[in-house]
Amino acid sequence: MKTELSITLISPGCTITGDMIVDHGVSCFGLLNGGIVSTQGLLHVGAGGLVKGTAQGDHVRIDGRVDGNVHARASLEINGQVTGDILYCGTIRLGPHATLNGALKRVPRMLTIEAEPVSTGSEQVAEVAAPAQGSVATERPESNVTEFARAKA
């Protein structure tokens, strides 16, 4: 069985405006004006790369710069600069050139997936899927797992 490596490359000099959701790895060496979510594989912000928004992935490596929150579900390695909060649940490694300006929080895996607020009047709440027939509804922490799965389909 042959396996193919799928990766999206944002090359130097390239600018992308808007959010990206990919179901494989991604390497960013350019400018991304928006958030990025990698559902599988490595999310790599390379040297010279800049993400202006949230960066979410299973395995996250920051060698460039992220101006926004970082959410890592399995592993996180930082050799670059992060201005924003970092949520991780696996391993973390800070390199000699790591620069952090924000809170570093170890959280359960489900909390590393950012909640998408849904506006209802003047307040914002996270959308929660209705419980299955016969099950008891329980309050759970903010998560966009259902939104994440829908976006992936």
Side-chain angles (χ1 to χ4, degrees):
M1 180 176 176
K2 184 178 177 183
T3 12
E4 292 185 27
L5 177 64
S6 293
I7 191 160
T8 297
L9 176 65
I10 302 170
S11 59
C14 179
T15 299
I16 296 177
T17 301
D19 295 335
M20 286 181 63
I21 299 176
V22 295
D23 63 354
H24 51 272
V26 62
S27 285
C28 177
F29 292 91
L31 170 62
L32 176 60
N33 279 318
I36 186 165
V37 176
S38 174
T39 61
Q40 299 175 28
L42 174 68
L43 168 56
H44 179 224
V45 179
L50 171 60
V51 175
K52 292 184 176 182
T54 300
Q56 298 182 46
D58 280 338
H59 304 281
V60 179
R61 180 175 179 167
I62 311 292
D63 291 323
R65 187 170 129 198
V66 175
D67 290 343
N69 296 338
V70 175
H71 303 247
R73 293 182 291 280
S75 65
L76 174 63
E77 183 176 343
I78 301 174
N79 292 310
Q81 178 181 357
V82 176
T83 302
D85 293 342
I86 298 172
L87 289 92
Y88 71 101
C89 67
T91 60
I92 184 170
R93 179 178 173 184
L94 300 176
H97 302 291
T99 303
L100 306 176
N101 187 10
L104 184 63
K105 301 174 187 173
R106 184 174 175 95
V107 297
R109 182 176 171 86
M110 70 183 299
L111 295 181
T112 59
I113 301 172
E114 184 176 85
E116 288 196 26
V118 177
S119 180
T120 58
S122 62
E123 62 184 74
Q124 291 184 339
V125 294
E127 181 179 348
V128 179
Q133 185 82 19
S135 66
V136 177
T138 58
E139 190 174 313
R140 63 180 186 166
E142 287 186 5
S143 171
N144 75 339
V145 173
T146 54
E147 295 298 319
F148 191 65
R150 243 182 269 151
K152 190 175 171 185

